[in-house]
Amino acid sequence: MTRWGMVIDLDKCFACQSCTAACRMENNTPVAGPDQAERERTILWNEVLPFEEGEYPNVTLTFIPRPCQHCDNPPCVKVCPVQATYIDEEGIVLVDYNRCIGCRFCTVACPYQVRYFNWYAPEWPEELKEHLNPDPEVAPRPKGVVEKCTFCVQRRRKAREQAEAEGRPFNPTDFIPACVQTCTGKARYFGDLDDPNSLVAKLAKSPRAFRLQEEMGTEPKVYYLKQG
Amino acid sequence: MMDRTYQESELERTVLSPLRQTSPQFWLAMAVLGAVFLWGAVMLVRQWILGLGVTGLNRPVYWGIYLANFVFFIGISHAGTLISAILRVTQAEWRRPITRIAEAITFFALILGLLQIWIDMGRPERVFYPLIYGRFQSPFLWDFTCIGVYLLSSTLYLYLPMIPDLARMRDHMTDAPAWRRRLYTLLALGWHGSHEQHRRLEKAISIMAILIIPIAVSVHTVVSWIFGMTMQPMWHSTIMGPYFVVGAIFSGIAMLFIFMTIIRRAWHLEKWIGPKQYNYLGILLLVMSAFWAYFTLSEYLTTGYGSIIHEQEVLHAKLSEEYAPWFWAMLICNFVIPFAILVWRKGRTPTGTFIAALAIAVGMWIERFTIVAPSLTRPSLGFEKVLYAPTITEVAITAGSVAFFAILFLLFFKIFPAISVWEVEEGEAIEVVHRQAEALARQKAILTGS
Amino acid sequence: MGFWIVNTPGIGSLIVLTVGLSVFAAYVYMVRWIQTAPPDPVEIRAPQTAGEPEPNGTGGES
């Protein structure tokens, strides 16, 4: 069974945020606008987080791109009262928008704040509307439900369909999420963590590899390679 | 066919008079409360139409005032059970005139508490999904189980001791409007008050009084576990369950003081709800205040003495940063003011306890708020510090909820007697018998010449 | 192994409803038990008002 995972090399990342932009276009996350952005209401499935350390003049700023960590032991799934959020057989944590009751228990349970809530009905300016991704799987979410990074499951589905049409078995290298595809510094790697020969599995074992808040026991499947 | 020779006792006359006539002040109070309620209702409809964006919530402060209200209302629902049940079990005679008021607070506070969860939902139309797709691993399901059982139990616990009074009203309140007489007849269940029936009723009440104590404890424990089961700094703590239960009983007694004093004044029940109740219940409130302070100290000292970064940040938010005014106001309201008043015998008067209880009601709401919000503003990932400022919508809905609670409570006591007449009479009879027994014993002592 | 009990959607609802309904049934039974208590022997009773469940005094299943 495939166990999808991601590795992000912080040495190669220069915080250009093209992953954030690509994710938005691929997954149809709505435009919040300056007013809502100021109120911390933006929906960015793949945010680049700044970590400031030290005091002026000795300051270091680290940027960490943060998609959903797709934990093997996800706290969000545990607390959902209606199983609107669940982990699929390949380890991807997903949300059923038709089931979600909008209680936001998962959003407070997630120690990575990767889950976003639709405060209002989603809106786009006219010019952007025609560029929405037509894939029904990423159709704009209604107001009042939670959404988050899915490792681009719609791309996985398409790759599977194509492999089937071509009459060959589906290969974990057949698809990559939009953020990996677009990454300017080629800092992101994506693949099957259960396949010991895959690049992600090897990089995950690197001495530079770490995961966010490992002490929480959430077993994230997103690995980072330390800077420097 | 009605017994025309029936003479109402002074107790009956006083207790039933608010059910017969309504003062202009009552209508004025109703109008004000109704207006506040309407304001909240309009804002709630607006929130449903536009979305939860009309609140001050954001990422990562996904929960705010509505959750604080939820914990607060479920907390004050402990007024009825814990007080009425514990006092019944321990045979405290002075409980008799105040148990019904306490039990009514429980019933309506529970309804308001459940309402807060619904108000907080992003998809209110899916409110029944937990009853279709419910997953028991989620602490929400534990809450539905415990609160459901508690609601059923406290409804019965309010109803059972009311049956003899309902029968009395069915038989003697011939001047009441027809719909109310039908209501009394229906609810009196054909009560005829035979010895056997009385025995069964008393037995049922005793069973419920004992049963409801663990149920009430379970309710506020699982409410705390909504927070305790997440890994948020200062939520993920084993003290949460007991701390919430202590706070619940504490705020419940305070709420009982507030409503008992209002009803006593408005319904003219001074003769029955008197110094004894205020003194004894005041001592109980004082003890709970000390308990609460002890739990608070345990929690904050343990957190502060350690050096876990994420917890320190939340602690500082409460002690010295933007939540400091709330935190210190909470300490003053919940400990300093009540302690300063209640520790004196002269402070445990209706006025003194009313002031202390008002301070505690405010302080306990702040306590709930400073548990819910600060932890969320300092996420453990530590990339940012986010502020949360409630909007007018949240204020309106909170005010509307409180008004709704008061409306339900006051209307209830316009239809049903605020004092359990038969229980107070029973208490008076017991006292008479006691006195007679004492006199008899004295006589006997004289006769045997000791 | 027992994880499915807490994890399956619907089982939780079943638990809530089972607990709630059985408690409700028990309480209804309790109220009925009070309601069907036999009246005192007839000679010392005043005329009955309406709503009496059983005319004779044999009711009550204690």
Side-chain angles (χ1 to χ4, degrees):
Chain A
M1 187 67 80
T2 327
R3 216 173 118 252
W4 300 103
M6 190 181 277
V7 178
I8 303 174
D9 188 341
L10 298 178
D11 250 351
K12 291 185 182 171
C13 170
F14 52 90
C16 67
Q17 303 184 59
S18 58
C19 49
T20 310
C23 173
R24 296 195 58 168
M25 298 313 287
E26 172 71 25
N27 291 300
N28 294 338
T29 56
V31 176
D35 164 55
Q36 291 297 304
E38 202 162 290
R39 299 177 65 184
E40 308 290 344
R41 299 267 184 82
T42 42
I43 297 182
L44 301 168
W45 289 6
N46 192 330
E47 221 167 325
V48 179
L49 305 175
F51 289 86
E52 218 182 288
E53 257 176 85
E55 299 228 335
Y56 180 82
N58 301 313
V59 189
T60 44
L61 197 56
T62 316
F63 291 98
I64 295 189
R66 191 246 32 215
C68 173
Q69 307 291 301
H70 292 282
C71 309
D72 269 344
N73 182 21
C76 54
V77 169
K78 270 194 199 167
V79 299
C80 181
V82 293
Q83 205 171 59
T85 191
Y86 58 97
I87 182 160
D88 81 355
E89 62 280 8
E90 295 181 349
I92 295 181
V93 178
L94 297 169
V95 181
D96 180 349
Y97 312 119
N98 293 323
R99 178 74 67 85
C100 176
I101 61 172
C103 68
R104 308 185 301 292
F105 203 166
C106 57
T107 58
V108 300
C110 173
Y112 307 99
Q113 286 82 46
V114 306
R115 307 178 66 93
Y116 295 81
F117 183 71
N118 285 278
W119 301 103
Y120 291 111
E123 269 175 40
W124 284 268
E126 273 313 309
E127 317 82 73
L128 272 176
K129 231 177 216 167
E130 47 196 275
H131 298 295
L132 285 178
N133 185 347
D135 194 305
E137 218 168 332
V138 287
R141 276 69 59 185
K143 76 163 194 272
V145 301
V146 167
E147 59 177 70
K148 58 178 276 297
C149 157
T150 64
F151 273 173
C152 292
V153 277
Q154 68 280 12
R155 288 185 168 216
R156 180 180 66 172
R157 191 201 75 234
K158 272 185 226 158
R160 275 227 170 83
E161 282 167 3
Q162 196 174 352
E164 207 174 309
E166 289 169 9
R168 58 179 174 83
F170 172 73
N171 189 321
T173 54
D174 281 353
F175 103 94
I176 48 171
C179 56
V180 179
Q181 185 185 18
T182 205
C183 183
T184 324
K186 296 210 180 338
R188 287 176 180 249
Y189 306 88
F190 184 76
D192 181 8
L193 286 171
D194 270 0
D195 173 6
N197 296 316
S198 75
L199 189 52
V200 281
K202 283 179 186 156
L203 287 172
K205 288 201 190 73
S206 147
R208 285 171 61 212
F210 73 96
R211 293 180 291 179
L212 294 177
Q213 304 191 90
E214 263 173 298
E215 71 278 10
M216 299 266 187
T218 51
E219 301 290 332
K221 288 196 287 292
V222 174
Y223 290 79
Y224 293 89
L225 300 180
K226 237 181 239 139
Q227 241 173 328
Chain B
M1 59 175 281
M2 214 53 64
D3 184 6
R4 292 199 182 282
T5 55
Y6 182 76
Q7 277 288 320
E8 281 190 343
S9 65
E10 188 197 353
L11 169 67
E12 251 179 311
R13 217 172 28 251
T14 323
V15 169
L16 296 186
S17 92
L19 278 62
R20 294 197 164 104
Q21 63 242 12
T22 307
S23 65
Q25 287 100 313
F26 178 82
W27 290 120
L28 185 71
M30 273 303 175
V32 174
L33 290 170
V36 176
F37 167 66
L38 217 62
W39 181 41
V42 168
M43 292 305 253
L44 178 61
V45 172
R46 186 170 163 268
Q47 175 183 302
W48 280 338
I49 294 168
L50 294 175
L52 277 167
V54 296
T55 65
L57 298 168
N58 55 38
R59 190 188 71 101
V61 192
Y62 281 108
W63 283 349
I65 278 188
Y66 298 149
L67 258 286
N69 289 347
F70 162 67
V71 182
F72 178 73
F73 275 117
I74 301 290
I76 61 173
S77 81
H78 285 52
T81 47
L82 264 293
I83 293 144
S84 154
I86 291 172
L87 297 183
R88 241 189 251 274
V89 171
T90 54
Q91 309 277 328
E93 283 299 318
W94 54 272
R95 71 164 199 276
R96 292 177 186 271
I98 56 172
T99 47
R100 177 144 323 140
I101 296 173
E103 287 150 17
I105 294 176
T106 297
F107 181 66
F108 295 118
L110 273 178
I111 291 174
L112 263 293
L114 286 171
L115 210 57
Q116 299 301 317
I117 287 285
W118 192 42
I119 290 169
D120 189 63
M121 278 171 67
R123 307 288 304 189
E125 80 280 12
R126 294 181 184 170
V127 63
F128 290 113
Y129 276 21
L131 285 181
I132 305 167
Y133 308 113
R135 252 182 96 256
F136 209 69
Q137 195 185 18
S138 169
F140 267 164
L141 267 286
W142 314 346
D143 275 44
F144 288 129
T145 313
C146 292
I147 297 178
V149 170
Y150 189 43
L151 186 61
L152 287 173
S153 309
S154 54
T155 310
L156 187 67
Y157 191 58
L158 169 66
Y159 174 59
L160 284 182
M162 210 150 65
I163 296 175
D165 282 1
L166 286 164
R168 193 185 297 226
M169 285 152 77
R170 169 198 67 194
D171 296 344
H172 302 306
M173 263 191 75
T174 41
D175 48 341
W179 68 270
R180 259 164 64 182
R181 298 206 56 207
R182 260 201 301 277
L183 185 70
Y184 297 145
T185 310
L186 185 77
L187 290 176
L189 285 177
W191 172 267
H192 45 73
S194 69
H195 279 295
E196 173 62 12
Q197 197 164 36
H198 250 295
R199 192 189 65 82
R200 290 186 182 185
L201 180 75
E202 299 266 11
K203 192 163 182 190
I205 293 174
S206 327
I207 292 172
M208 288 315 295
I210 293 167
L211 209 60
I212 214 155
I213 296 171
I215 295 174
V217 170
S218 82
V219 166
H220 229 63
T221 304
V222 295
V223 164
S224 84
W225 283 348
I226 289 186
F227 306 98
M229 293 298 148
T230 69
M231 289 181 287
Q232 292 289 346
M234 287 199 80
W235 277 7
H236 193 58
S237 159
T238 54
I239 206 172
M240 287 301 244
Y243 191 27
F244 270 46
V245 172
V246 162
I249 301 170
F250 184 38
S251 60
I253 301 175
M255 212 35 100
L256 176 57
F257 266 121
I258 293 175
F259 278 92
M260 172 172 123
T261 308
I262 292 173
I263 284 275
R264 173 186 126 104
R265 269 289 284 281
W267 271 220
H268 307 293
L269 305 173
E270 285 90 346
K271 191 171 168 200
W272 289 276
I273 303 177
K276 210 184 224 175
Q277 281 77 20
Y278 280 93
N279 185 26
Y280 291 169
L281 206 57
I283 293 170
L284 203 57
L285 190 61
L286 178 71
V287 169
M288 291 317 294
S289 174
F291 256 120
W292 178 86
Y294 162 65
F295 271 77
T296 307
L297 178 73
S298 307
E299 167 72 344
Y300 286 85
L301 185 66
T302 312
T303 307
Y305 201 91
S307 53
I308 299 170
I309 299 163
H310 310 311
E311 293 197 337
Q312 294 297 313
E313 277 173 17
V314 178
L315 188 69
H316 285 142
K318 295 192 196 188
L319 296 185
S320 55
E321 288 166 37
E322 78 267 24
Y323 287 99
W326 295 98
F327 181 84
W328 297 109
M330 167 186 90
L331 270 190
I332 290 169
C333 286
N334 281 351
F335 187 65
V336 180
I337 296 178
F339 215 87
I341 295 175
L342 297 173
V343 82
W344 309 106
R345 175 67 188 84
K346 278 182 189 150
R348 294 193 293 273
T349 57
T351 322
T353 50
F354 190 72
I355 295 168
L358 272 185
I360 293 164
V362 172
M364 279 309 293
W365 187 87
I366 297 176
E367 195 242 42
R368 289 3 183 152
F369 179 66
T370 53
I371 284 173
V372 175
S375 285
L376 292 174
T377 61
R378 306 289 193 282
S380 57
L381 200 52
F383 56 92
E384 62 195 332
K385 182 175 113 181
V386 175
L387 300 178
Y388 163 61
T391 59
I392 193 78
T393 306
E394 285 159 288
V395 174
I397 290 175
T398 303
S401 301
V402 174
F404 189 38
F405 177 66
I407 290 172
L408 287 175
F409 185 85
L410 291 177
L411 281 184
F412 183 79
F413 285 131
K414 285 304 282 182
I415 301 176
F416 301 106
I419 287 182
S420 184
V421 175
W422 71 277
E423 282 183 285
V424 171
E425 282 177 355
E426 192 183 69
E428 283 166 355
I430 289 172
E431 223 180 286
V432 169
V433 170
H434 259 293
R435 241 176 279 140
Q436 283 172 347
E438 252 170 55
L440 216 64
R442 249 198 316 275
Q443 238 170 17
K444 206 176 162 193
I446 294 164
L447 281 178
T448 50
S450 57
Chain C
M1 55 205 160
F3 184 64
W4 63 273
I5 295 173
V6 295
N7 189 42
T8 314
I11 302 269
S13 314
L14 221 60
I15 295 174
V16 174
L17 292 174
T18 310
V19 171
L21 291 178
S22 41
V23 166
F24 183 71
Y27 289 171
V28 168
Y29 183 82
M30 192 187 258
V31 170
R32 287 287 300 164
W33 177 64
I34 294 166
Q35 192 183 11
T36 53
D40 288 330
V42 209
E43 60 265 33
I44 55 160
R45 298 270 319 151
Q48 283 302 312
T49 47
E52 191 72 22
E54 255 90 41
N56 59 353
T58 52
E61 61 267 51
S62 65

